[in-house]
Amino acid sequence: MSTEKHNGKLIVFSAPSGSGKTTIVRHLLKQKELNLEFSISATSREKRGREEHGKDYYFLDLKTFKSKIKNDEFLEWEEVYRDNFYGTLKSEIERIWAKGKNVIFDIDVSGGLRIKKKFPENTLAIFVKPPDLNELIIRLKERGEESAEKISMRVAKAPAELATAPLFDEIVVNDDLDKALSDAYNLVSSFIENN
């Protein structure tokens, strides 16, 4: 996969769970002038609730996921929890670029940094920072989507994820959602126009 043929941009949003990155990404996708399309990640985990294959994730069984790793079909991938893989298929980026669109990611910090490393010129990597760890815990609990154990696992990962913030191109602090949406829009808009 070569970047020479493509002028498409890669817009990466990473953050600890509960920081608000998904809300920001959904807002930006509605801004037609940015010409963005969401990169659908692949995962080996089971579907949750109303999730749909090809819309929320590409749901692959463990064997298929591992064979795609072996065949170098991923731009980046990670085993987040034991036998629980997530990754970005190269074919997904090619599909979006072929439509003449820019790719936007809602992705964990290590995946986001790997994309930035592979496409340094084409990528804007933005870290979404919660105001503090207590606020993060409150937001995770308020979502009501996960068990106390799962929330504890996410909170335990947060300090290490927060420590990666300086490695990103930009940091958006999400203590006021309207301001965070506006800051994110301005960063993405100027990156697309000026590069």
Side-chain angles (χ1 to χ4, degrees), residues 151-163:
I151 290 171
S152 295
M153 283 168 75
R154 293 193 184 283
V155 171
K157 279 177 75 173
E161 291 170 324
L162 288 165

Side-chain angles (χ1 to χ4, degrees), residues 11-192:
I11 313 295
V12 167
F13 278 87
S14 296
S17 291
S19 297
K21 72 180 182 309
T22 304
T23 302
I24 292 170
V25 167
R26 284 184 184 144
H27 170 75
L28 293 174
L29 281 163
K30 290 177 189 160
Q31 315 310 311
K32 299 292 175 218
E33 68 280 9
L34 296 177
N35 195 27
L36 299 171
E37 186 161 334
F38 185 67
S39 169
I40 301 166
S41 295
T43 184
S44 66
R45 73 159 172 78
E46 295 293 317
K47 287 182 193 177
R48 289 186 201 133
R50 292 196 185 136
E51 289 179 332
E52 292 175 45
H53 177 77
K55 182 176 175 233
D56 299 293
Y57 286 97
Y58 296 115
F59 292 98
L60 309 174
D61 62 54
L62 192 57
K63 187 178 175 194
T64 305
F65 202 105
K66 286 182 172 178
S67 95
K68 288 187 179 294
I69 291 171
K70 202 171 146 193
N71 295 334
D72 195 31
E73 293 179 48
F74 284 101
L75 181 60
E76 60 79 31
W77 63 270
E78 184 178 5
E79 186 174 15
V80 180
Y81 304 107
R82 190 167 179 271
D83 284 343
N84 201 331
F85 289 84
Y86 289 84
T88 304
L89 290 160
K90 292 177 181 176
S91 59
E92 178 69 355
I93 307 310
E94 288 161 358
R95 177 185 74 78
I96 296 169
W97 275 347
K99 292 163 91 174
K101 292 189 167 251
N102 300 302
V103 186
I104 190 166
F105 299 85
D106 174 345
I107 193 170
D108 68 60
V109 294
S110 51
L113 290 170
R114 279 198 286 272
I115 290 168
K116 176 69 182 176
K117 194 173 176 185
K118 284 191 180 169
F119 296 104
E121 301 302 311
N122 291 50
T123 304
L124 173 64
I126 299 174
F127 188 92
V128 180
K129 204 170 183 181
D132 58 49
L133 216 47
N134 286 337
E135 178 64 22
L136 196 69
I137 294 165
I138 291 164
R139 289 178 188 178
L140 286 169
K141 285 180 179 170
E142 281 176 353
R143 285 202 314 208
E145 294 173 0
E146 297 175 321
S147 67
E149 182 190 2
K150 203 69 179 252
I151 290 171
S152 295
M153 283 168 75
R154 293 193 184 283
V155 171
K157 279 177 75 173
E161 291 170 324
L162 288 165
T164 67
L167 303 173
F168 285 76
D169 298 316
E170 301 286 348
I171 296 172
V172 170
V173 178
N174 186 13
D175 53 357
D176 170 338
L177 183 58
D178 288 336
K179 185 178 183 318
L181 294 175
S182 169
D183 291 348
Y185 177 87
N186 292 334
L187 289 168
V188 171
S189 178
S190 78
F191 180 73
I192 288 169

